[in-house]
Amino acid sequence: MGKIKVRVKINGKERSDEVEPRMLLAHYLRDVVGATGTHIGCDTSNCGACTVVMDGKAVKSCTVLVGQANGREIKTVEGLSQNGKLSKIQKAFLDKHGLQCGYCTSGMLMASYWLLKKNKKPTEEEIRRNLSGNLCRCTGYQNIVEAVKYASELIEKEGEEEEVVVESQ
Amino acid sequence: MITGQKFVEGKGTYVDDINLPGMLYMAIVRSPYSRAKIASLKGGLNSSDYEGRMASVGEGGSGEINIYSEPVFAQGYTSYLGQPVAAVFGEDRYKAEDLLNSVDVEYEPLKPVMEIDAALKADPIHPGTKNNILIDKWVGKEFKDTSSPIVLEDSFYNRRVATNPMEPRGVVATYDGNRLTMWASSQSSQSIKEGLVEAMNLSPDSVRVIQADTGGGFGLKGGLHPEYVIAAHAAMKYKRPVKWIETRSEHLSSSNPGRGARADIKIFAGKNGIINGVTGEVYVDAGAYGGFGEFAPRFIAYQLTGPYAIPNGYVRAIATLTNKVPQGPYRGAGRPEASYFIERMVDLLADELKMDPADVRIANMSSEPFKSPLGLEIGAAKPFFQDALKEFEYGKRFTSDTAGLGFFVLVPGIGPGEGARIKIEKGRVKVWLGGDTAGQGHQEFVRTLIREELGIASDLVELQLGDTDAVKRGVGAWGSRSAITAGAAVIAASGKIKDMVIKDFGDYSPENALSGSYDIDHFEEMKGTLNSFGANIAVADVSPLGAIRVKDCWSYYDVGRVLSKESVWGQIMGGIVQGIGQVVSEEIAYSDEGELLTGSIADSGVLSADQVPNFVVKVAENRSDLPHGVKGLGEAPTIGVPSALVRSIEKVTGKRIRDTPVRPEDIAEDF
């Protein structure tokens, strides 16, 4: 199969690779980039474990061909903490016990990160609706909702993290 | 704080994150028919290369290979949709998928046997067997009741549901010429090893199973699966590491689902609501092969009196073979089914006598411990239930007009105990358990116990993932057993370390312990029962078209002593959503012709955040007699929630509910 060249900025770092055009962004991140924090939990775009933020918008990376990501900027769970310091949404998930097995967590974090970018003070209903594309089998969601609320409070109190710009290679 | 930092940073190591040099990816050619003759088969690794059968290990496993054991590859015919027929191996996951087309299989479809009743009448699905009855036993003692004025009969069905951990199954197998090493997403590395040893006829020393971070299990990941044997065999044959990661589609067609149990129940009662006897038949849809299905019907029958002091009981326990993927344990594994069946009958009796369901329940409870005619031992139920009604503000906040009650006894799987190893070295403590944590937070109770027993601060204590080379003997994490059994093993191992420290230093102090090197691997033998009570109350809202929304769901469980509040509450809230899911949406469904109707995780009914409310969780901390005072917990919500919720749906709609999931057509208003 012929290959295509893609140039993608991942967590602030630019890279280019030659890949099969049929490759999904989720597999590209996991198998080519080695960013295995992005998980795959289904094959029908239902579960949201593979959620990443592409050009500022949450997408399910199992539904994006890597060619569609060409020239774009991707943020994955690995890009949430800055200089070894957990971001507010990560801290909130830990403090509110918003995870158990950890498998859906990356997608939950990225969907929540995006939600809080567009809506700094979401209501409980808005949180639940915005996370409806991310399935969790362990927590019953209550603590995840609490965590997003708590992160929203932290952001209100302390402000958003500054995005650290990583120099491209 | 619960430990999970590596997960929020995306730094977990799940099995699909493990990559070895030269690794092959495995993909499986699966039967597209529920039942078919294999007229011809060319290509891939198949039954002509490997003829072995599966060993029944893990929860409810018999440890045996018998005529009903599943062949690793279908041999001559297929018996369920999704059954492995052949395996192919590629340099990456895309190439492995491509290679599926290189296998040429010609099937001659046969009429499948899809339901329990059909199985009882049909010719045997397996040639050389007499019928489709996997097991047929009576539990209890025959009795005659000609004097009870009320005799009620009904039939119920808990249809099959997928376990659906968010991380599907997966293994990486490698062979160095002497030893097979397998990394697995696992609830029991020990059981997987035992299964590989038996199924592949290997020596125990030549197999090591290591747990990877495990993204949920819910019963599925405690035993052996055909794909694990195929991956192991291929790693040995090709002398290259082999990775297999299940897709969700494969999960829905080919991983062992839970429930799939039906019952015809008859109760004999007085006009005062006192039940004098219970009798009937429990049927389990075992699917195409033996395994958990051999154990499940008797386990359900044994619990059929629930938490009630019913003096007579005689129950027939049957498992039938059908052309479906073999049934397996799913959170509760027989406990929710038994509770559902008896709770439905108790509610029916309340309606018959126009009594409040709470009063009928109280009428059948003992203030003393009770041993049922089916063998179930329970403590005094009445005081706990009366507390539960108070906690629920029953009669005020909730009334029987709209709210449904569920009352149950949780029977944890205690025997034969569990293993634990504690190693102190360079001022840090490493702990291994015989059962593998799959997200329940075993690390938390381990840290609590080490802090209490050895006085060592939690940040110095790390729970390690399961590893059959690290712990000599272990059982598995299922059956609400880990805090009980692995906790007891940690305490016993701590005691031994304490003795050694005293021997070395003259007295015990955490500083002394941390300054030395100690390594204790201990198996704590345990038997008997440690049953505990729980209650739920739920209120449903049903739309005219039959869509169900849960408005309220409260829990009150006796969990014994709480070792980690986060873990206990987390277990309860997560289990509640699974309990609700079983009632409102979860199902693995087939057509009569054997087509799988459940095509995605959404179809299988896993609920999302916007479909459930917040829950009220209350616990009773009545200490058990164990040194650490704990009781079972993990399965409580999937036992208690379904019967409570179904009762509420029944009250709200005025329609008798018998089966789960409740389908919209069962309850929609008549137009």
Side-chain angles (χ1 to χ4, degrees), chain A residues 22-24 27 30-31 36-37 39 41-43 90 97 100-103 109 124 128 132 137-138 140-142, chain B residues 2 8 14 16-17 93-94 98 162-163 215 218 248-249 330 439 566 570 574 578 586 607 609 612 614-615:
Chain A
R22 64 178 174 173
M23 183 175 265
L24 298 173
H27 288 135
R30 291 182 51 78
D31 296 344
T36 54
H39 298 149
C42 75
D43 41 18
Q90 288 169 303
H97 191 204
Q100 287 180 32
C101 80
Y103 199 77
L109 285 168
E124 162 141 0
R128 285 186 179 271
S132 65
R137 192 68 158 162
C138 294
Y141 301 108
Q142 195 155 326
Chain B
I2 202 99
V8 300
Y14 298 91
D16 197 15
D17 304 336
R93 58 184 99 225
Y94 286 76
D98 288 344
T163 55
F218 311 114
R248 186 62 58 180
S249 298
Y330 167 57
E566 287 89 349
Q578 291 182 327
E586 289 192 42
L607 295 173
V612 290
N614 283 320
F615 308 114

Side-chain angles (χ1 to χ4, degrees), chain A residues 4-118:
Chain A
I4 55 165
K5 196 172 174 186
V6 289
R7 210 178 155 75
V8 190
K9 198 180 216 182
I10 298 165
N11 299 324
K13 216 168 171 178
E14 248 182 53
R15 62 178 289 151
S16 61
D17 292 284
E18 286 199 354
V19 294
E20 288 187 21
R22 64 178 174 173
M23 183 175 265
L24 298 173
L25 177 58
H27 288 135
Y28 171 73
L29 290 170
R30 291 182 51 78
D31 296 344
V32 179
V33 181
T36 54
T38 298
H39 298 149
I40 298 171
C42 75
D43 41 18
T44 46
S45 293
N46 292 124
C47 84
C50 65
T51 305
V52 299
V53 171
M54 182 161 83
D55 281 354
K57 198 176 166 196
V59 294
K60 291 182 177 178
S61 62
C62 76
T63 316
V64 177
L65 287 164
V66 64
Q68 293 173 288
N70 188 31
R72 293 171 186 260
E73 202 170 334
I74 310 288
K75 195 178 183 76
T76 70
V77 67
E78 287 93 344
L80 283 178
S81 33
Q82 305 282 359
N83 301 322
K85 192 170 172 274
L86 291 185
S87 64
K88 295 189 171 64
I89 188 70
Q90 288 169 303
K91 183 176 165 5
F93 266 66
L94 277 180
D95 286 356
K96 295 294 172 184
H97 191 204
L99 67 151
Q100 287 180 32
C101 80
Y103 199 77
C104 76
T105 308
S106 325
M108 285 286 179
L109 285 168
M110 298 318 290
S112 304
Y113 167 86
W114 181 55
L115 166 64
L116 293 174
K117 283 272 174 216
K118 41 173 202 165

Side-chain angles (χ1 to χ4, degrees), chain B residues 86-148:
Chain B
V88 292
F89 303 86
E91 298 295 327
D92 63 42
R93 58 184 99 225
Y94 286 76
K95 294 202 173 69
E97 290 277 330
D98 288 344
L99 284 166
L100 291 172
N101 288 330
S102 70
V103 179
D104 196 9
V105 199
E106 210 179 302
Y107 297 97
E108 287 171 14
L110 300 166
K111 172 99 186 125
V113 176
M114 297 309 292
E115 281 297 336
I116 293 163
D117 287 335
L120 291 168
K121 290 180 215 133
D123 288 338
I125 63 167
H126 297 303
T129 58
K130 276 193 230 132
N131 53 42
N132 293 317
I133 293 173
L134 180 66
I135 199 154
D136 185 357
K137 304 262 186 200
W138 284 90
V139 179
K141 204 172 146 213
E142 199 170 1
F143 67 94
K144 276 209 161 45
D145 186 322
T146 50
S147 57
S148 291

